[in-house]
């Protein structure tokens, strides 16, 4: 098979349409191929073969006959695709490292620490606190792949011959040249994408085109995609140190403040807090923001065990 046929077969495999014979042929090719063109696919298929060769202990099954019977009934295509999903879940960079001994460069930030780095292709990345970015010392000739845990802002150098791919959880963000913010914290149930320039392909099984007018959310639990209700003003507040609100509902204001200051808010008032907030603040302190909200919205904040509880009566009376 030539390389064009191999690429077609790989696409067919990821669509779940390959036969057992085709999958075996693909595995044989990837095992014997010495180039770096199909590095990701090699990692996934070799990971599957390795798991096949590791025999479970007898304690896992009642007898040898049961074990042999179960193995005969295994569908090769299903197991190989499950193995591929495991590779994604464990982190493709880790698998590549263990199988090919090509360690990835890692940049990790701690609390209240941010980092700016330049990637091998000249692209720029600003990494938020409590985040990690992994990437190869030299990008592949066909694509540029990085792996993100946490949040980062990307300004990608345009290269139409090598798409740029950011792996987050089991979702991927594919671009050619653009700028965007991607948020993927393990403690949160979704991945958030906000595009500032250009277009981005985003998702897992289902993929959508994302632009600056439609920030998207990927739900980790079920893989669903939907548009974010958050406004894009403060997506980069962690980088710019600026908070901006234009007729913003209180609940969305609190989400932005919770993320910016890493604090928790809880509305305790039984009355409907139907009020909006306006303001533009450069490098504001939390106390200043709470005072501004209290004055303009007729509400009160009380700190108790690390949580800011909110009480208010006739929330919009001062507006």
């Amino acid at each position: 098979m030539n390389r064009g046929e191999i690429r077609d077969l790989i696409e067919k495999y990821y669509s779940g349409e390959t036969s057992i014979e085709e999958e075996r042929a693909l595995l044989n090719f990837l095992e014997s191929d010495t180039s770096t063109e199909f590095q990701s696919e090699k990692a996934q298929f070799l990971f599957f073969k390795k798991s096949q060769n590791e025999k479970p202990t007898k304690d896992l099954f009642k007898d040898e006959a049961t074990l042999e019977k179960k193995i005969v009934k295994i569908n090769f295509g299903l197991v190989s695709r499950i193995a591929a999903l495991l590779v994604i879940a464990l982190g493709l960079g880790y698998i590549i490292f263990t199988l090919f001994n090509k360690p990835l460069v890692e940049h990790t930030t701690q609390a209240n620490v941010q980092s700016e780095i330049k990637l091998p292709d000249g692209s720029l990345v600003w990494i938020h606190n409590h985040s990690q970015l992994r990437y190869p010392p030299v990008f592949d000739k066909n694509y540029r792949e990085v792996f993100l845990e946490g949040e980062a802002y990307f300004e990608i150098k345009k290269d139409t011959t090598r798409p740029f791919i950011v792996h987050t959880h089991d979702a991927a963000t594919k671009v050619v040249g653009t700028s965007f913010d991607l948020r993927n914290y393990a403690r949160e149930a979704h991945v958030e994408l906000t595009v500032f320039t250009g277009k981005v392909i985003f998702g897992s099984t289902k993929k959508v085109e994302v632009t600056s007018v439609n920030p998207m959310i990927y739900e980790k639990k079920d893989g669903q995609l939907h548009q974010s209700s958050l406004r894009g003003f403060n997506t980069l507040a962690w980088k710019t140190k600026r908070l901006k609100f234009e007729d913003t509902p209180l609940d969305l204001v609190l989400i932005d403040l919770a993320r910016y200051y890493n604090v928790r808010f809880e509305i305790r008032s039984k009355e409907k807090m139907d009020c909006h907030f306006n303001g533009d603040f450069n490098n504001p302190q939390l106390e200043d923001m709470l005072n501004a909200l209290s004055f303009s919205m007729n509400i009160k904040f009380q700190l108790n065990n690390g949580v800011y509880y909110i009480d208010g009566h006739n929330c919009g009376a001062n507006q």
Side-chain angles (χ1 to χ4, degrees):
M1 290 186 290
N2 59 42
R3 294 192 175 275
E5 292 173 328
I6 290 297
R7 288 199 170 280
D8 291 341
L9 195 55
I10 289 173
E11 291 184 9
K12 188 177 179 182
Y13 166 77
Y14 283 125
S15 300
E17 301 172 353
T18 47
S19 65
I20 293 178
E21 291 74 17
E22 287 174 324
E23 290 176 358
R24 286 173 177 164
L26 183 56
L27 175 60
N28 290 335
F29 170 82
L30 293 173
E31 282 186 304
S32 61
D33 183 55
T34 58
S35 72
T36 60
E37 184 173 358
F38 302 104
Q39 191 177 63
S40 298
E41 289 76 13
K42 287 180 187 178
Q44 295 179 16
F45 278 87
L46 291 180
F47 177 78
F48 167 65
K49 183 184 178 184
K50 183 176 183 294
S51 65
Q52 263 195 322
N53 293 334
E54 292 178 349
K55 296 182 180 297
T57 62
K58 293 181 181 180
D59 294 336
L60 296 177
F61 300 94
K62 293 182 179 179
D63 52 52
E64 295 277 346
T66 305
L67 174 60
E68 292 177 1
K69 184 177 180 181
K70 287 180 178 292
I71 290 178
V72 169
K73 289 186 177 182
I74 289 176
N75 180 283
F76 186 92
L78 174 62
V79 174
S80 61
R81 274 181 281 278
I82 292 174
L85 290 175
L86 286 174
V87 169
I88 294 173
L90 292 173
L92 184 56
Y94 173 76
I95 301 300
I96 291 175
F97 168 73
T98 55
L99 292 178
F100 300 100
N101 196 28
K102 293 183 179 180
L104 298 177
V105 178
E106 291 188 1
H107 284 274
T108 302
T109 57
Q110 304 303 323
N112 301 317
V113 176
Q114 298 171 8
S115 177
E116 178 184 350
I117 63 172
K118 179 181 286 189
L119 297 178
D121 66 335
S123 296
L124 299 176
V125 185
W126 287 261
I127 307 173
H128 199 3
N129 54 38
H130 290 300
S131 301
Q132 182 186 79
L133 185 72
R134 294 175 292 154
Y135 58 90
V138 179
F139 283 132
D140 188 88
K141 66 179 181 179
N142 294 308
Y143 51 81
R144 300 167 287 170
E145 279 187 307
V146 302
F147 306 86
L148 174 67
E149 297 176 16
E151 184 171 11
Y153 170 71
F154 296 81
E155 291 185 354
I156 303 306
K157 187 175 181 180
K158 188 173 184 179
D159 185 345
T160 56
T161 64
R162 292 190 303 169
F164 190 96
I165 303 171
V166 185
H167 294 279
T168 50
H169 192 67
D170 55 353
T173 304
K174 182 178 180 181
V175 306
V176 172
T178 184
S179 61
F180 59 94
D181 182 85
L182 199 55
R183 183 181 177 97
N184 171 44
Y185 283 105
R187 65 179 182 271
E188 296 178 351
H190 49 255
V191 179
E192 294 182 22
L193 170 67
T194 303
V195 176
F196 294 93
T197 60
K199 298 178 181 179
V200 169
I201 303 300
F202 180 57
S204 180
T205 304
K206 177 185 177 182
K207 296 179 176 62
V208 296
E209 184 177 89
V210 184
T211 65
S212 60
V213 299
N214 62 328
M216 295 296 296
I217 286 178
Y218 171 85
E219 298 293 347
K220 295 178 182 179
K221 182 178 180 180
D222 56 15
Q224 294 297 309
L225 289 163
H226 59 88
Q227 191 162 336
S228 173
S229 60
L230 293 176
R231 302 179 181 182
F233 297 144
N234 298 318
T235 301
L236 287 181
W238 62 268
K239 177 178 176 290
T240 63
K241 308 302 180 188
R242 179 187 179 190
L243 286 168
K244 181 181 178 181
F245 304 96
E246 291 184 358
D247 198 32
T248 307
L250 177 61
D251 58 340
L252 299 186
V253 172
L254 296 178
I255 291 175
D256 283 339
L257 295 184
R259 289 184 172 184
Y260 187 76
Y261 296 106
N262 194 28
V263 296
R264 289 177 56 199
F265 293 98
E266 185 174 320
I267 297 177
R268 191 160 49 187
S269 174
K270 295 181 180 180
E271 295 186 19
K272 184 178 180 181
M273 307 291 277
D274 186 16
C275 46
H276 295 70
F277 185 62
N278 293 278
D280 196 336
F281 307 88
N282 287 312
N283 199 22
Q285 299 300 308
L286 176 58
E287 184 179 358
D288 297 331
M289 291 302 307
L290 298 185
N291 287 337
L293 289 169
S294 298
F295 177 77
S296 64
M297 294 185 172
N298 195 30
I299 58 178
K300 294 181 179 180
F301 294 89
Q302 183 179 10
L303 179 61
N304 187 8
N305 293 327
V307 179
Y308 284 91
Y309 291 93
I310 303 169
D311 290 290
H313 302 282
N314 193 15
C315 178
N318 291 358
Q319 299 186 336

